[in-house]
Amino acid sequence: MVDVVLDTAKTPPAETKSQEKITYENNKLHKRLCRLVGQAIGDFNMIEDGDKVMVCLSGGKDSYALLDILMTLRERAPIHFDIVAVNLDQKQPNFPADILPAYLEKLGIPYHIENQDTYSIVKRLIPEGKTTCSLCSRLRRGILYRVADELGANKIALGHHRDDILETFFLNMFFGGKLKGMPAKLQSDDGKHIVIRPMAYVKEADTQRYAEVKQFPIIPCDLCGSQENLQRKQIKGLMREWDKKFPGRVDNIFSALSTVAPSHLMDKDLFNFKDLKIDGEARQDGDIAFDEEPCSTPTTGVISLHLDQD
């Protein structure tokens, strides 16, 4: 019997170095996702000891990433919480019903597949060519609340990330006339559950790359044949352009969502403008517009004015 010895010396140094760099970057990505998800959970007190978290798994990159990171954090957390994965099979044509069960069986995690033919309902009520996402979302939400009740889950985890939150904010502002986003934590419509978005601080680019690294079995989201929400697509394109041309702008906008000055907006229900009177005391939320400019004065390109002395 002859032992086979691999001659590692023949491996090109450049190739070895490249592979080491890829491994390093992948590990860094995983750590970043764990840190950001853990930070969001802590900032908003999303998960507490004894919780049962129902992770809504669509088959897209974001919900796969959410489940994967929550499973990692559960092993490290100082508290105990349970996870159950739930997929709603809406009976869309050509939906690969075997992919998610096979994936979840391999993970060894409790899961439930809920079969509800919402596809037929949506197709019957929405005219051909129109976006079906809004009605589909409402139907899906009601079903998931019921399933959470049946499974005994008190927290419902969704895979929305930072970009989803910002896109929703701009959609509401541009097309709905509201300063309204997608909160990291809220009470469900039926008042019986808490809906959480643990990936609120995570960029979509990171979930995209993580899905490629982990090779998640992605199920396309266009099976229903619905037209993509063109308004959201435009907003997504605008944010990508900002990221390229003005690095940091999108980060600042996201930061602004958690740094709100109600006294400097115009919502009469949010701030009592009517009863605002002179009291002779300095106010933390007073008008400091002339003291702190939001943008620094440029040091170059200043136009000099030459005034006639006549």
Side-chain angles (χ1 to χ4, degrees):
M1 180 175 179
V2 179
D3 292 331
V4 177
V5 180
L6 297 178
D7 188 358
T8 55
K10 291 183 178 180
T11 304
E15 184 178 326
T16 301
K17 193 171 182 179
S18 176
Q19 186 58 48
E20 288 175 352
K21 183 179 179 181
I22 291 172
T23 301
Y24 171 77
E25 292 296 333
N26 291 345
N27 288 336
K28 206 163 81 167
L29 173 62
H30 182 253
K31 288 179 180 178
R32 180 164 66 251
L33 291 178
C34 287
R35 175 176 56 81
L36 291 173
V37 171
Q39 183 181 343
I41 290 173
D43 285 351
F44 294 93
N45 194 28
M46 293 185 186
I47 299 177
E48 301 172 88
D49 190 44
D51 278 348
K52 187 170 186 178
V53 182
M54 185 178 94
V55 179
C56 300
L57 197 64
S58 66
K61 67 183 190 314
D62 305 322
S63 58
Y64 273 125
L66 172 62
L67 177 62
D68 187 272
I69 298 301
L70 283 182
M71 289 179 66
T72 299
L73 294 179
R74 183 181 59 172
E75 299 302 316
R76 305 173 181 176
I79 61 172
H80 172 78
F81 64 94
D82 293 318
I83 295 175
V84 56
V86 170
N87 169 253
L88 173 58
D89 184 345
Q90 299 174 267
K91 301 306 174 185
Q92 298 164 323
N94 303 316
F95 181 79
D98 60 317
I99 288 181
L100 282 171
Y103 176 76
L104 294 169
E105 288 282 355
K106 187 177 180 181
L107 287 182
I109 187 172
Y111 72 91
H112 170 72
I113 306 296
E114 180 70 14
N115 294 286
Q116 295 287 336
D117 187 4
T118 61
Y119 173 80
S120 297
I121 298 174
V122 170
K123 281 299 182 183
R124 187 175 72 249
L125 297 178
I126 302 295
E128 189 67 30
K130 297 292 184 179
T131 301
T132 62
C133 299
S134 179
L135 176 58
C136 182
S137 177
R138 289 199 298 273
L139 293 172
R140 185 169 62 245
R141 185 163 61 241
I143 294 169
L144 291 174
Y145 289 163
R146 173 181 59 77
V147 172
D149 268 340
E150 294 172 357
L151 295 176
N154 62 321
K155 300 285 176 67
I156 300 174
L158 304 178
H160 298 120
H161 45 65
R162 189 201 70 164
D163 296 56
D164 289 323
I165 292 172
L166 281 171
E167 288 164 17
T168 301
F169 170 74
F170 284 121
L171 284 169
N172 280 315
M173 183 168 63
F174 292 162
F175 304 105
K178 296 179 182 178
L179 285 180
K180 178 183 176 183
M182 187 182 278
K185 180 181 179 182
L186 75 157
Q187 189 181 65
S188 61
D189 294 354
D190 61 5
K192 298 178 181 179
H193 312 91
I194 294 294
V195 177
I196 59 176
R197 295 182 170 97
M199 295 208 302
Y201 294 161
V202 175
K203 297 180 181 180
E204 183 177 17
D206 279 348
T207 65
Q208 178 66 52
R209 184 165 157 246
Y210 193 66
E212 294 167 0
V213 170
K214 299 288 288 188
Q215 296 185 325
F216 294 135
I218 303 297
I219 299 174
C221 63
D222 58 355
L223 296 174
C224 60
S226 173
Q227 291 182 347
E228 185 178 357
N229 186 323
L230 296 181
Q231 292 173 342
R232 182 173 289 274
K233 186 176 180 181
Q234 290 173 359
I235 296 297
K236 189 183 289 288
L238 179 64
M239 287 172 52
R240 285 176 178 167
E241 185 178 352
W242 282 346
D243 252 343
K244 290 179 181 178
K245 292 185 177 179
F246 312 103
R249 173 179 288 186
V250 175
D251 294 328
N252 286 337
I253 296 172
F254 184 73
S255 177
L257 295 181
S258 58
T259 315
V260 180
S263 63
H264 284 53
L265 297 175
M266 297 182 67
D267 190 327
K268 299 183 292 295
D269 294 326
L270 198 61
F271 186 82
N272 187 7
F273 292 99
K274 285 187 176 182
D275 294 334
L276 192 63
K277 302 182 186 306
I278 297 173
D279 58 14
E281 296 181 6
R283 295 174 59 90
Q284 189 68 26
D285 57 356
D287 189 357
I288 58 172
F290 294 102
D291 299 326
E292 294 183 13
E293 289 292 337
C295 301
S296 60
T297 303
T299 57
T300 59
V302 178
I303 299 175
S304 298
L305 297 180
H306 299 280
L307 302 177
D308 292 335
Q309 301 298 319
D310 297 339

